[in-house]
Amino acid sequence: IADKYNPTVTVAKANLSKALAIFDDIQDNNLPTGGMIGSYTVQQQVFPGIPNTSERATLRSRQLGLSSGWEMDIVGKFMRAEEAANADAEAAYYRWQEARLALLANVAKTYIQYRGLQARLSVANDTLNSLSRTASIVNNQVEAGFASKLDELRVKSQIASVQADVPALKAATEACRQLLFAFAGGEE
């Protein structure tokens, strides 16, 4: 789906079609050429100088022409032109494939980043749950006199640090998700 909506791939595909059309046209140079022309003319005319004629005479003329030609490729001009057109078409094909491959690589890279960010976000949420339980245990130990206030502050610091990472992870995950939708033509 991604290459259907990508302008680079679309342009490369159009260039390939153009190169193939030129190649097909150049191949026709080896064939004989021909043409045909025809005309029919009717005129009414007075011929001066002919005594006692005031009447108009009707002249009718017909022409038909046929031509054909074939240029022999003695020095290889057409063969070289065909080879050049073939090379251009082949280059256009590989540019199209290159554009498609680059696009697919970007889709794969973005998908891997998206899944990695989802995993990191899941780990961050699990860590927050674990640290919350740890904070509860440390609070009970501080109240019972088995832990110091420093232990309590360390746990709160760790919770704040992980909480600070969560919004950035969510934003990056959403950015990757939107990019994947854009690659798919904006369809969810």
Side-chain angles (χ1 to χ4, degrees), residues 105-121 169 172-177 179-180 183:
N106 280 335
V107 170
K109 181 182 91 172
T110 303
Y111 182 73
I112 290 168
Q113 286 176 338
Y114 176 67
R115 297 302 286 180
L117 287 166
Q118 282 183 322
R120 286 178 59 193
L121 190 58
L169 288 172
T173 303
E174 181 60 21
C176 283
R177 189 178 77 83
L179 188 55
L180 287 170
F183 283 140

Side-chain angles (χ1 to χ4, degrees), residues 9 20 30 35 40-42 49 80 84-85 89 102 105 160 163 182 187:
V9 174
L20 289 173
N30 291 327
Y40 176 75
T41 307
V42 177
R80 295 292 112 29
Q163 284 175 333
E187 299 174 10

Side-chain angles (χ1 to χ4, degrees), residues 79-186:
M79 185 184 297
R80 295 292 112 29
E82 187 175 328
E83 288 170 358
N86 187 30
D88 288 345
E90 193 172 329
Y93 172 78
Y94 287 118
R95 283 191 298 273
W96 174 54
Q97 290 299 324
E98 175 190 13
R100 290 185 70 221
L101 187 59
L103 174 65
L104 293 176
N106 280 335
V107 170
K109 181 182 91 172
T110 303
Y111 182 73
I112 290 168
Q113 286 176 338
Y114 176 67
R115 297 302 286 180
L117 287 166
Q118 282 183 322
R120 286 178 59 193
L121 190 58
S122 176
V123 167
N125 287 330
D126 290 346
T127 301
L128 281 175
N129 289 336
S130 175
L131 286 173
S132 293
R133 288 191 302 270
T134 301
S136 175
I137 293 170
V138 169
N139 282 341
N140 290 338
Q141 288 178 343
V142 167
E143 288 175 5
F146 295 118
S148 69
K149 269 296 212 197
L150 181 62
D151 293 329
E152 185 178 23
L153 290 174
R154 277 191 198 137
V155 172
K156 286 182 180 181
S157 172
Q158 289 174 340
I159 290 173
S161 175
V162 173
Q163 284 175 333
D165 290 342
V166 170
L169 288 172
K170 284 183 178 179
T173 303
E174 181 60 21
C176 283
R177 189 178 77 83
Q178 291 298 325
L179 188 55
L180 287 170
F181 287 145
F183 283 140

